[in-house]
Amino acid sequence: MRLKRLLALAAGLMLTAAPVLAREGAQDAPVQVALTMDDLPVHGPLPPGLTRAEVARRVLAAFKTAGVPEVYGFVNAKGLEEGDDAAQVLTLWRQAGYPLGNHVYAHDDLHGHDVAAFTAAVTADEAALKHYMGDADWHWLRFPYLHIGETPEKRRAVAAFLKDHGYRVAEVTLSFNDYLYNAPYARCMAKGDQAVVAQLRQNYLDRAAESLTIGRQQARTLYGRDVPHVMLLHIGAFETVMLPELLSLMKAQGATFVPLAQAEADPIYAPNPDAPSDGTGGLLDREMASRHLPTPAHSPDPSPWLDTVCR
Ligand SMILES: [Zn+2]
């Protein structure tokens, strides 16, 4: 047990010491970022004493303190089955003046399922969106797992459905799998292991900074310029700890926070179901793959380390 813990600590130190990509001249130049948060109202395990509503309160307070004008919250309405605490998340989101969008009823995966089943699950999410959004615009779809369809046929069929029903796709250009930290955070808090929590914080921040650096490099490689970005976050317990630092860090890297529609007004966000793709990954990753450009260098996947800590 003790050896396992030491090994986990050592692995953590190696990961947090991984160098963020070399600085470039344009790295801190202004860049627009639309923030989005997935899996409302229920995502990941909670540490002792924290409720879903309290997660939402703290996350919203961090966004407001940083002056973020809009954060779309993407809803899996099935989560409302958890009761009042979950429902409170959506109420708080709306009270903060932020909009909600469709993340498919039960986080249904388009890959491995047919288009009819998927579009039925998209429709099943709408009653909750109408209830909480009223006359405001909830016609944005975030694909669960960022799976947009394995084949051009499937992508075309879903794109036609979305167009008919007035939806736009909320793409993602920046992601660092922030959700990976919630389970280890809950375990470490239950054990009172603040040393490991400190390592989780540093690793999260290193990878967040790296994702913005890589996204900007990808945009310059693909389009020869900076583009407005869309960042994917999840409404997990660890964001209550990290969001203030994340938002400060992004501002220091030159980020200005903008609404989703403003970011996606850029032509790079025009739907293109026929682009060669396996239908996975964010927009820039898919574009890089379709042009046979190599995946940019990045720090190692922290999952093996995260899976071992605080067991
Ligand atoms: Zn999701």
Side-chain angles (χ1 to χ4, degrees):
M1 193 67 190
R2 211 171 148 181
L3 178 62
K4 199 172 158 194
R5 187 176 141 76
L6 280 171
L7 286 172
L9 280 171
L13 287 173
M14 279 162 60
L15 281 168
T16 52
V20 172
L21 291 184
R23 294 178 69 84
E24 285 193 358
Q27 187 177 322
D28 300 333
V31 63
Q32 296 184 353
V33 181
L35 297 173
T36 61
M37 192 158 249
D38 282 14
D39 298 1
L40 276 63
V42 171
H43 174 83
L46 297 174
L50 200 57
T51 63
R52 299 293 170 193
E54 189 56 27
V55 169
R57 257 182 227 106
R58 294 184 195 180
V59 158
L60 289 164
F63 286 137
K64 291 291 174 180
T65 301
V68 181
E70 178 203 274
V71 183
Y72 256 91
F74 287 96
V75 174
N76 313 118
K78 186 173 172 43
L80 291 168
E81 291 172 6
E82 291 207 5
D84 289 348
D85 183 35
Q88 190 66 10
V89 171
L90 302 189
T91 301
L92 289 164
W93 205 266
R94 295 299 295 135
Q95 283 173 354
Y98 289 158
L100 300 168
N102 197 325
H103 194 34
V104 192
Y105 183 75
H107 209 268
D108 307 72
D109 190 347
L110 173 57
H111 290 192
H113 295 92
D114 65 35
V115 169
F118 180 79
T119 55
V122 170
T123 303
D125 210 45
E126 292 181 348
L129 295 172
K130 286 174 188 159
H131 175 76
Y132 286 96
M133 288 291 281
D135 294 334
D137 182 22
W138 45 266
H139 287 87
W140 285 89
L141 181 88
R142 168 67 46 74
F143 283 100
Y145 313 100
L146 306 184
H147 285 172
I148 66 163
E150 307 97 313
T151 63
E153 262 177 347
K154 208 165 171 180
R155 292 195 289 275
R156 274 197 296 269
V158 174
F161 169 88
L162 295 177
K163 188 163 181 253
D164 284 351
H165 291 79
Y167 280 98
R168 293 193 63 193
V169 173
E171 289 284 3
V172 171
T173 65
L174 304 174
S175 169
F176 55 99
N177 296 344
D178 68 318
Y179 64 88
L180 291 173
Y181 299 84
N182 292 310
Y185 173 63
R187 291 197 305 269
C188 293
M189 290 302 283
K191 285 192 158 189
D193 195 335
Q194 290 297 333
V196 177
V197 171
Q199 290 180 7
L200 297 177
R201 292 169 73 117
Q202 191 57 53
N203 186 257
Y204 172 109
L205 286 174
D206 288 347
R207 294 182 57 256
E210 184 185 70
S211 86
L212 186 52
T213 304
I214 288 176
R216 298 179 78 163
Q217 285 177 342
Q218 287 179 311
R220 282 185 227 116
T221 301
L222 288 165
Y223 312 111
R225 62 182 172 97
D226 263 326
V227 300
H229 286 272
V230 180
M231 177 173 267
L232 165 61
L233 299 167
H234 296 79
I235 190 156
F238 200 49
E239 297 298 10
T240 66
V241 179
M242 297 311 301
L243 264 189
E245 284 177 85
L246 172 68
L247 300 174
S248 298
L249 172 89
M250 291 179 70
K251 285 181 178 179
Q253 284 184 293
T256 306
F257 302 115
V258 300
L260 180 61
Q262 183 178 328
E264 293 212 12
D266 191 285
I268 70 159
Y269 292 99
N272 182 12
D274 296 326
S277 171
D278 65 359
T280 67
L283 174 66
L284 303 182
D285 301 321
R286 298 197 312 265
E287 283 291 315
M288 298 284 286
S290 76
R291 297 194 207 176
H292 305 290
L293 294 164
T295 308
H298 55 83
S299 58
D301 177 7
S303 305
W305 168 59
L306 293 172
D307 287 346
T308 61
V309 297
C310 298
R311 291 282 182 192

